[in-house]
Amino acid sequence: MKAAAYTGNKTLQLAPSEQISPADNEVRLEVAYCGICGTDMHIYHGNMDQRVRMPQIIGHEVSAVVAEVGAGVADVQVGDRVCVRPLKFGEAANFDRGNAHVGKNLRIIGIDMPGGMQSSWTVPAYTLHKIPDELNLETAALIEPLAVAVHDVKLSRLKGNETCVVIGGGPIGLLIAMVARNLGARVILSEINESRLTLARELGLEAVNPLEENLADSVAELTEGAMADCVFEVSGSAVGVQVMTDLVCARGRIVVVAIHPDAKPVNLFKFFWSEIQMIGARLYEAEDFDDAIQLAASGQLALKKLITKVSTLENVAEVFETIDSQPDGIKYLIKCNET
Ligand SMILES: [Zn+2]
């Protein structure tokens, strides 16, 4: 029983994974696969050292098999295949207005408390979503980021006859693009990494490299001046924020998906002039997970193409070094158990 623990300063150490018996309304899982997320890379780089208590077992993109259930758990049984919505809801605050997933007292499992990059993991039963037989455990590790994409597209109010631009072609950007396309929308993806651009084109997306072509001009040309109904800012870059207001049509929507830790200049004149709307989108709600599972199980999305490599817990330090040193990959999974 092993675990990957972040101990600070770009270091992940192999640690024992404790088998913690589930308390009331908890479930113990045997983790199958745990995906590595951009947030895990932020932790690795020390950007979240004030928040993460070290050593901390990280990881929040998990598929698993139920190993033990605590008293009061009715919805899952031993042997069920599940994925985990890694949110620990605190006490509801007036501020929340019922939006627990962005509530004041929300904690993220895998950041603020031990995560799923380990063989045995005990979590609250309400975090679990069962996965159907058609979905294998490897693909099911992508449900968490897919739920992010489903949530983002839902909040964008994108329709099948509309055009959207996705700025940034990492895992979340590609998933948003795939969900939007599946809806019937036209998708133009902006990305600077050539191998990610190649993958995007393999997935049937229109893709532009903004270092080679002016993005606003390209969108104008592709849409015959109509521009996009909706833009997703997923790059987290200052240039992404700068250009996003140039890409939307009158009354278009801009969805800010990326984490921008520092304030950046935004062209508010454009917002006023064209009555643009800006929408923030973070995490997901329970129904986004259900929708993501259904979508993945339908086989309509080429999710497998996003999995760059599957490694074992023993090699976790090496995998993080690879992700850090070479930006071509999309999604790396850690296999956390033999079965
Ligand atoms: Zn994540």
Side-chain angles (χ1 to χ4, degrees):
M1 301 297 253
K2 296 187 183 76
Y6 170 68
T7 55
N9 193 27
K10 288 173 93 171
T11 309
L12 280 160
Q13 281 180 6
L14 216 53
S17 172
E18 270 180 80
Q19 272 198 27
I20 303 168
S21 292
D24 291 1
N25 301 309
E26 283 186 347
V27 172
R28 189 175 72 78
L29 304 172
E30 273 180 17
V31 177
Y33 296 92
C34 181
I36 298 173
C37 170
T39 306
D40 298 316
M41 295 313 294
H42 280 301
I43 294 173
Y44 178 74
H45 284 128
N47 299 334
M48 295 168 78
D49 280 0
Q50 280 120 313
R51 184 169 162 189
V52 177
R53 288 181 54 188
M54 289 167 258
Q56 182 67 284
I57 298 165
I58 60 171
H60 59 266
E61 301 183 357
V62 165
S63 64
V65 178
V66 172
E68 247 180 285
V69 297
V73 175
D75 295 340
V76 293
Q77 297 177 340
V78 172
D80 279 351
R81 300 149 78 248
V82 293
C83 57
V84 179
R85 181 163 41 95
L87 307 183
K88 172 93 175 166
F89 298 126
E91 204 183 318
N94 285 340
F95 171 86
D96 305 348
R97 301 291 205 279
N99 301 296
H101 73 293
V102 286
K104 262 197 166 166
N105 297 314
L106 172 79
R107 288 189 295 161
I108 313 266
I109 309 177
I111 299 174
D112 304 309
M113 45 211 298
M117 215 170 280
Q118 56 177 328
S119 314
S120 176
W121 191 29
T122 302
V123 296
Y126 70 77
T127 64
L128 302 180
H129 292 256
K130 278 199 250 189
I131 54 177
D133 294 343
E134 309 91 89
L135 202 54
N136 64 57
L137 286 165
E138 221 173 276
T139 310
L142 297 183
I143 292 297
E144 194 268 359
L146 180 60
V148 171
V150 166
H151 184 71
D152 300 340
V153 172
K154 220 178 267 180
L155 291 190
S156 79
R157 311 192 300 275
L158 186 71
K159 295 185 211 65
N161 57 358
E162 291 188 324
T163 298
C164 70
V165 176
V166 179
I167 308 173
I172 296 293
L174 286 168
L175 285 167
I176 289 171
M178 289 161 89
V179 172
R181 263 217 16 136
N182 193 61
L183 209 64
R186 180 178 184 189
V187 182
I188 301 165
L189 183 93
S190 166
E191 168 59 44
I192 56 173
N193 179 292
E194 277 303 327
S195 71
R196 286 180 171 186
L197 281 166
T198 306
L199 174 65
R201 289 182 186 122
E202 275 170 28
L203 293 167
L205 303 166
E206 292 173 80
V208 176
N209 184 342
L211 297 180
E212 283 168 9
E213 301 166 68
N214 179 293
L215 182 58
D217 290 349
S218 302
V219 173
E221 202 178 307
L222 289 166
T223 61
E224 293 174 355
M227 307 309 283
D229 300 276
C230 184
V231 170
F232 295 89
E233 200 320 277
V234 200
S235 73
S237 67
V239 281
V241 172
Q242 200 175 36
V243 79
M244 66 187 188
T245 44
D246 296 333
L247 308 176
V248 276
C249 63
R251 287 214 167 161
R253 291 94 65 197
I254 296 175
V255 185
V256 178
V257 174
I259 302 171
H260 290 272
D262 46 313
K264 295 184 178 73
V266 173
N267 190 337
L268 289 180
F269 180 78
K270 290 259 170 77
F271 272 89
F272 156 75
W273 197 250
S274 307
E275 297 194 344
I276 295 169
Q277 293 179 26
M278 179 145 78
I279 299 161
R282 179 186 167 212
L283 295 166
Y284 28 66
E285 295 168 86
E287 49 281 24
D288 299 320
F289 255 72
D290 294 335
D291 292 350
I293 289 167
Q294 214 175 23
L295 191 53
S298 76
Q300 290 168 52
L301 307 183
L303 294 171
K304 232 188 144 169
K305 286 211 160 198
L306 303 187
I307 301 173
T308 308
K309 197 178 175 200
V310 181
S311 303
T312 58
L313 273 167
E314 284 78 5
N315 295 320
V316 73
E318 197 184 303
V319 178
F320 273 74
E321 279 161 32
T322 306
I323 299 172
D324 203 24
S325 61
Q326 75 116 318
D328 290 358
I330 301 292
K331 186 55 78 182
Y332 291 79
L333 303 184
I334 302 293
K335 192 170 192 265
C336 294
N337 263 297
E338 278 317 303
T339 46

